[in-house]
Amino acid sequence: MKINEVPFIKEMCDTADNMYRLGWDERNGGNISYMIPETEVKKYFNPAKVIRVIPLGFDAKELVGKYFLVTGTGKYFKNVKACPEENLGLMRISSDGQNAELIWGYEGGGKFTSELPAHLMSHTVRLKADAENRVIMHTHPTNILAMTYVHDLDTKEFTHTLWQMSTECIVVFPDGVEVLPWMLCGTNEIGVATAEKMKESRVVVWALHGIYGAGKTLDETFGLIETVEKAASIYMLTAHLPRKNTITDDQLKMLAERFGVSYKEGILK
Ligand code: 13P
Ligand code: ZN
């Protein structure tokens, strides 16, 4: 079997490809971590054969024994599909929670994304909220990034504006978005801060940098970020023009009721 016929590798390749073509992931921008059940791993790989042990640099004891397919640091989403073995790695968290045991990938000496702290810390938090959460996705969508330059970064204000930007928003992300101010990326500190925000919402915006999304599948997480980015693009197309019409808070409440979603409190009046 060819490597890109392994279902979860193919899915990851297709997702990175889509994200690249939407212009979200310039150069090495963006990273994805996808938790794979051991039963799936065993169908295609030998988990007893560890190629390399790579120190994590933080404690991941709550994820011991779990397998993650993770994009490599410095690797370009543009190239993932053509060469998954160089650009992706399949790893298991070691029994002491301190290392990544590489089962496949990162050929040529690569390693996992520099944003692994934010990914694994967010997985830990999201798994407590939803046992089926398997994906953390980070990317640099153009309009959400632009919006953080011109919009108030208050989480409630930011969420309210996004919900108003298209009718489906409150249904797709009823838990809103959380916004982090600019912080140094690739650090344990931004990982801790992101995971803390992930307790409240499946979407965390990194001001002046990009976005994090969490979900059950690659498709669902991609769709979540896609919807937020679409809303941000409507905002950027209209923010400088006189607003003639808007979706009112009462209409947002009607939507939530009609679609049976409970939305974040303190945002609608
Ligand atoms: P990596 O190349 O280490 O994944 O970093 C890309 C990025 O988006 C940093 O925030
Ligand atoms: Zn980034």
Side-chain angles (χ1 to χ4, degrees):
M1 186 184 230
K2 290 198 192 113
I3 195 65
N4 51 13
E5 287 170 6
V6 173
F8 52 85
I9 303 247
K10 182 179 185 313
E11 244 189 294
M12 190 84 151
C13 289
D14 290 343
T15 303
D17 212 41
N18 273 332
M19 292 168 77
Y20 171 69
R21 278 187 288 99
L22 285 172
W24 296 357
D25 297 283
E26 74 291 342
R27 201 174 182 274
N28 66 310
N31 24 78
I32 309 173
S33 58
Y34 185 13
M35 196 170 86
I36 313 292
E38 186 167 49
T39 47
E40 276 299 298
V41 171
K42 282 183 168 164
K43 284 186 197 166
Y44 312 99
F45 299 94
N46 175 6
K49 206 173 143 220
V50 174
I51 306 171
R52 261 192 287 152
V53 175
I54 314 174
L56 291 174
F58 59 96
D59 187 7
K61 64 174 174 305
E62 295 192 66
L63 299 171
V64 164
K66 297 214 180 299
Y67 294 82
F68 293 92
L69 183 62
V70 182
T71 52
T73 186
K75 303 299 184 191
Y76 295 18
F77 273 28
K78 177 169 75 74
N79 300 337
V80 172
K81 197 169 201 166
C83 196
E85 57 275 20
E86 250 183 53
N87 296 289
L88 302 176
L90 178 64
M91 56 192 230
R92 176 178 55 220
I93 306 303
S94 65
S95 57
D96 60 0
Q98 303 300 314
N99 296 294
E101 298 170 335
L102 185 64
I103 307 294
W104 167 86
Y106 300 146
E107 277 182 12
K111 67 178 269 192
F112 48 72
T113 173
S114 60
E115 304 293 5
L116 197 68
H119 280 258
L120 294 193
M121 291 176 194
S122 295
H123 274 287
T124 304
V125 163
R126 290 313 306 173
L127 279 169
K128 284 177 188 157
D130 177 357
E132 287 181 47
N133 192 91
R134 287 172 62 192
V135 176
I136 300 291
M137 188 178 277
H138 166 60
T139 175
H140 304 165
T142 310
N143 291 286
I144 202 79
L145 191 37
M147 189 170 159
T148 65
Y149 282 83
V150 296
H151 194 282
D152 196 304
L153 295 180
D154 175 75
T155 280
K156 288 181 178 164
E157 297 285 332
F158 210 90
T159 296
H160 190 249
T161 298
L162 288 172
W163 281 354
Q164 284 186 326
M165 289 302 117
S166 109
T167 296
E168 66 171 348
C169 283
I170 196 168
V171 180
V172 176
F173 52 102
D175 46 358
V177 303
E178 290 284 323
V179 185
L180 270 187
W182 186 91
M183 287 179 76
L184 189 61
C185 55
T187 60
N188 290 351
E189 288 71 26
I190 201 169
V192 171
T194 305
E196 192 56 35
K197 296 283 189 195
M198 281 271 177
K199 286 181 182 163
E200 308 298 329
S201 169
R202 291 171 303 141
V203 180
V204 178
V205 173
W206 280 8
L208 322 178
H209 183 139
I211 194 168
Y212 270 75
K216 294 180 176 65
T217 64
L218 285 172
D219 251 8
E220 187 200 68
T221 316
F222 174 82
L224 175 67
I225 294 178
E226 195 180 25
T227 307
V228 176
E229 169 61 2
K230 178 67 173 275
S233 73
I234 306 297
Y235 178 77
M236 293 309 297
L237 283 169
T238 57
H240 57 295
L241 301 171
R243 179 92 63 94
K244 299 268 193 187
N245 307 295
T246 198
I247 304 173
T248 65
D249 282 12
D250 283 342
Q251 289 167 335
L252 289 169
K253 286 178 194 168
M254 278 166 68
L255 280 163
E257 205 167 302
R258 170 72 179 80
F259 289 93
V261 295
S262 57
Y263 54 88
K264 187 177 255 168
E265 285 177 13
I267 294 169
L268 301 185
K269 300 203 176 60

